[in-house]
Amino acid sequence: MSDIADRVKKIVIENLGADPEKVTLEASFIEDLGADSLDTVELVMAFEEEFGVEIPDDAADTIQTVGDAVTYLTKATA
Amino acid sequence: MFDLTGMTALVTGASGGIGSAIAKALHGQGATVALSGTRAAALETVAAELGDRVHVVPANLSDREAVEGLVPAAEAAMGGLDILVNNAGITRDGLFIRMKDDDWDQVIAVNLTSAFRLSRAAVKGMMKRRYGRIIGITSIVGVTGNAGQGNYAAAKAGMIGMTKALAQEVATRNVTVNTVAPGFIETAMTEVLNDKQREATLAQVPAGRLGTGDEIAAAVVYLASREAAYTTGQTLHVNGGMAMI
């Protein structure tokens, strides 16, 4: 769990150039971390690459926060 | 101006008249180029003329798997892809009322769908690297229409619309997407015209002559350059004044 969270946070920091302190599990990509809609697509693509999974569009729509991504990827890679 | 040293470019249809001129021009500005097309021997001839900084990546764009593999192959050969030129095109002319489904499908597949797939594959890396140039070679016919070319005109018009949509999506990533629309250009396609046809054609062109592949290539070089960063979603018409749009 923590390993996945660390990898997710690293990707978010790299992709969004976000302040690491702001990248908490509760942080919303768009509202808290300044992402636009294209950033969120890029994030999903980066998650897919990092974790070797395919995230369908309807699932991607539900991934709004760092915690959402960690929860989804934990299940997807279980 | 327009220095492309260190840039990498993939040109489809690179053995044809316009495609080879584009490849040579990009190479002449310093880019490393990957030449694609269906005729491997013809591509090798172009490659031999250019010497170094050249890769040959043959692909049949009517084959879906070949299309999917082309951008990764070019990226692997050159270590990245900064410039994609969707130049490959075919014609299957015929009057609309007699046009076969197969002639429609083939032209849409090679001229439009392959450009979509190649652009989709290329833009991914370009967005990541925060730099890219996608250039489609459309045609004046895509804007004005032309009797006997319903399929070709549709594909070329489709390319212009697709370009504008993609340009809007990726503008914030420093990726520009544009098209060049040639008018009548001296190529194998226009060489077959007889004197009377040639005369009728030229009557429509204020410049009074056919254009050259180099004149199309010059427009591509501009759009491919760093200097063209603020030009996106546009169609650059190179047609001797044949249509002023």
Side-chain angles (χ1 to χ4, degrees), chain B residues 13 33 111 125 131 143 178 189:
Chain B
V33 294
N111 296 13
Y131 187 87
V143 177
N178 293 287
M189 237 190 260

mmCIF file of all heavy atoms in Angstrom, chain B residues 13 33 111 125 131 143 178 189:
data_model
loop_
_atom_site.group_PDB
_atom_site.id
_atom_site.type_symbol
_atom_site.label_atom_id
_atom_site.label_comp_id
_atom_site.label_asym_id
_atom_site.label_seq_id
_atom_site.Cartn_x
_atom_site.Cartn_y
_atom_site.Cartn_z
ATOM 1 N N GLY B 13 5.293 8.528 -46.819
ATOM 2 C CA GLY B 13 5.230 8.756 -48.265
ATOM 3 C C GLY B 13 6.504 9.405 -48.770
ATOM 4 O O GLY B 13 6.504 10.207 -49.696
ATOM 5 N N VAL B 33 16.215 12.283 -40.076
ATOM 6 C CA VAL B 33 14.917 11.932 -40.640
ATOM 7 C C VAL B 33 14.727 10.417 -40.768
ATOM 8 O O VAL B 33 15.667 9.687 -41.084
ATOM 9 C CB VAL B 33 14.670 12.591 -42.024
ATOM 10 C CG1 VAL B 33 14.581 14.100 -41.893
ATOM 11 C CG2 VAL B 33 15.744 12.209 -43.019
ATOM 12 N N ASN B 111 -5.244 8.011 -46.280
ATOM 13 C CA ASN B 111 -5.039 9.465 -46.211
ATOM 14 C C ASN B 111 -5.472 10.060 -44.876
ATOM 15 O O ASN B 111 -4.914 11.059 -44.443
ATOM 16 C CB ASN B 111 -5.814 10.170 -47.331
ATOM 17 C CG ASN B 111 -5.309 9.773 -48.712
ATOM 18 O OD1 ASN B 111 -4.571 8.820 -48.862
ATOM 19 N ND2 ASN B 111 -5.729 10.505 -49.707
ATOM 20 N N GLY B 125 4.400 11.108 -26.838
ATOM 21 C CA GLY B 125 5.770 11.459 -26.477
ATOM 22 C C GLY B 125 6.016 12.954 -26.564
ATOM 23 O O GLY B 125 6.752 13.522 -25.747
ATOM 24 N N TYR B 131 7.272 19.304 -26.403
ATOM 25 C CA TYR B 131 7.664 19.887 -27.689
ATOM 26 C C TYR B 131 7.231 18.961 -28.814
ATOM 27 O O TYR B 131 7.444 17.749 -28.720
ATOM 28 C CB TYR B 131 9.182 20.092 -27.796
ATOM 29 C CG TYR B 131 9.558 20.838 -29.054
ATOM 30 C CD1 TYR B 131 9.566 22.221 -29.076
ATOM 31 C CD2 TYR B 131 9.820 20.148 -30.238
ATOM 32 C CE1 TYR B 131 9.846 22.917 -30.241
ATOM 33 C CE2 TYR B 131 10.091 20.834 -31.415
ATOM 34 C CZ TYR B 131 10.104 22.221 -31.409
ATOM 35 O OH TYR B 131 10.362 22.904 -32.570
ATOM 36 N N VAL B 143 -10.420 21.793 -49.580
ATOM 37 C CA VAL B 143 -11.112 23.045 -49.253
ATOM 38 C C VAL B 143 -12.079 23.443 -50.368
ATOM 39 O O VAL B 143 -13.173 23.925 -50.109
ATOM 40 C CB VAL B 143 -10.077 24.176 -49.002
ATOM 41 C CG1 VAL B 143 -10.769 25.497 -48.724
ATOM 42 C CG2 VAL B 143 -9.162 23.789 -47.839
ATOM 43 N N ASN B 178 -0.454 21.514 -37.710
ATOM 44 C CA ASN B 178 -0.839 22.326 -38.862
ATOM 45 C C ASN B 178 -0.909 21.473 -40.123
ATOM 46 O O ASN B 178 -0.452 20.334 -40.135
ATOM 47 C CB ASN B 178 0.204 23.431 -39.087
ATOM 48 C CG ASN B 178 0.222 24.458 -37.973
ATOM 49 O OD1 ASN B 178 -0.684 25.292 -37.852
ATOM 50 N ND2 ASN B 178 1.240 24.392 -37.119
ATOM 51 N N MET B 189 2.134 12.416 -60.355
ATOM 52 C CA MET B 189 0.683 12.505 -60.503
ATOM 53 C C MET B 189 0.273 13.481 -61.605
ATOM 54 O O MET B 189 -0.699 13.265 -62.307
ATOM 55 C CB MET B 189 0.065 12.944 -59.169
ATOM 56 C CG MET B 189 -0.966 12.004 -58.594
ATOM 57 S SD MET B 189 -1.812 12.755 -57.199
ATOM 58 C CE MET B 189 -1.003 12.023 -55.809
#
